Amino acid sequence: MDVIITDESSIGDLVADDIAALLQQKPHAVLGLATGSSPLRIYDSVATRVARGELSLAQARGFTLDEYVGLPDGHPSQYRTVIDNDFVSRVDFAPGAVRAPRGNAADLGQACHDYEAAIRAAGGIDLQILGIGTDGHIAFNEPGSSLASRTRVKTLAEQTRRDNARFFDGDVAAVPIHCLTQGLGTIMEARHIVLVGTGLGKAEAIHQLVEGPVSALWPATVLQHHPHVTVLVDDAAASRLQLADYFRYTYAHRYLVQ
Ligand code: GLP
């Protein structure tokens, strides 16, 4: 696991560099797209490069991580709408190239099965962008999730509904109780995972993710078993890391391929 402690404003460009390198080598790469505030600077940086003609996603495809159950299409807080507004509409993906779990399908079990099949048919995810919840969830895999879980229906923790109420005009009651989410086992199949966490509220979750025992109590800790994870955090989110000095040292002395 590479841990990069840097200022929040650099994170977007660093991850966009990784995405650009991937697309140069593999124009039809598959990106895993997270919603939430953490990836916004990444999307800004990628959109700027596309607008300048430096980068194209015309052959790329994308899969989002999760979706609320029951929100109608076009609802401003539906993750499908959010990713369209925050990213897809600002770059040059081909129509239909970005998929999301169908949280308003009549048969949710089938929708989960179809989503797993679509990711497999696309050849798997090359680069997965992740945020992290204050309780250590990734996507919507709440504490207690099986570390081998697949895409399925989950019940949101009350903490997560409180955290996400800001996207529902502050009304916790308006946040759906159920969601569809890629499982931890699904996420672990991505070839490269890039997790972004900023702010003091994420400090404990980042400490557990990087340094805690692997446990369903902190679902993000499963990433310790993944061979290629990059964690990007600001000073506040890094403030509980026991190895912070070591991570700063390793990044300052990173080996650059000539
Ligand atoms: C939600 C999403 C997660 C996201 C998390 C953190 O619960 N399902 O995918 O990582 O929120 O969001 P933020 O980046 O806004 O802090």
Side-chain angles (χ1 to χ4, degrees), residues 33-39 65-68 79 129-134 137-142 156 160 163-164 166-167 181 196-198 202:
L33 304 173
T35 42
S37 42
S38 304
L65 283 167
D66 45 13
E67 185 58 276
Y68 293 109
Y79 279 170
I129 298 167
L130 290 180
I132 187 167
T134 56
H137 73 250
I138 51 176
F140 269 141
N141 292 282
E142 296 285 22
L156 293 174
T160 301
D163 287 347
N164 289 2
R166 67 190 195 279
F167 300 114
T181 181
V196 175
T198 57
K202 302 291 173 76

Side-chain angles (χ1 to χ4, degrees), residues 190-235:
R191 295 177 188 95
H192 180 195
I193 294 177
V194 176
L195 184 144
V196 175
T198 57
L200 205 52
K202 302 291 173 76
E204 179 64 15
I206 293 293
H207 161 58
Q208 294 291 339
L209 152 67
V210 177
E211 300 172 333
V214 175
S215 160
L217 203 52
W218 292 91
T221 58
V222 72
L223 299 179
Q224 292 179 27
H225 283 296
H226 193 287
H228 193 190
V229 176
T230 309
V231 176
L232 296 107
V233 287
D234 64 359
D235 286 328

Side-chain angles (χ1 to χ4, degrees), residues 153-175:
V153 179
K154 283 291 284 183
T155 304
L156 293 174
E158 289 189 272
Q159 177 65 49
T160 301
R161 294 181 67 230
R162 279 196 294 274
D163 287 347
N164 289 2
R166 67 190 195 279
F167 300 114
F168 291 81
D169 296 327
D171 181 6
V172 183
V175 183

Side-chain angles (χ1 to χ4, degrees), residues 30 61 63 112-125 150-151 186 189 191:
V30 181
R61 280 160 300 167
F63 287 88
C112 294
H113 183 269
D114 292 348
Y115 203 61
E116 289 272 337
I119 294 173
R120 264 196 310 278
I125 289 167
R150 309 303 306 187
T151 303
T186 319
E189 288 172 2
R191 295 177 188 95

Side-chain angles (χ1 to χ4, degrees), residues 32-129:
L33 304 173
T35 42
S37 42
S38 304
L40 291 179
R41 286 175 190 269
I42 303 172
Y43 299 150
D44 286 346
S45 182
V46 171
T48 301
R49 293 171 199 219
V50 170
R52 286 194 200 129
E54 298 166 6
L55 188 63
S56 173
L57 287 82
Q59 295 180 61
R61 280 160 300 167
F63 287 88
T64 64
L65 283 167
D66 45 13
E67 185 58 276
Y68 293 109
V69 165
L71 295 185
D73 289 340
H75 187 289
S77 300
Q78 190 195 42
Y79 279 170
R80 168 83 248 183
T81 314
V82 171
I83 203 68
D84 283 347
N85 291 338
D86 288 350
F87 189 46
V88 179
S89 63
R90 303 168 62 200
V91 294
D92 60 343
F93 278 117
V98 174
R99 293 190 56 158
R102 292 186 305 116
N104 52 21
D107 183 342
L108 292 175
Q110 187 64 43
C112 294
H113 183 269
D114 292 348
Y115 203 61
E116 289 272 337
I119 294 173
R120 264 196 310 278
I125 289 167
D126 291 298
L127 188 151
Q128 175 66 58
I129 298 167

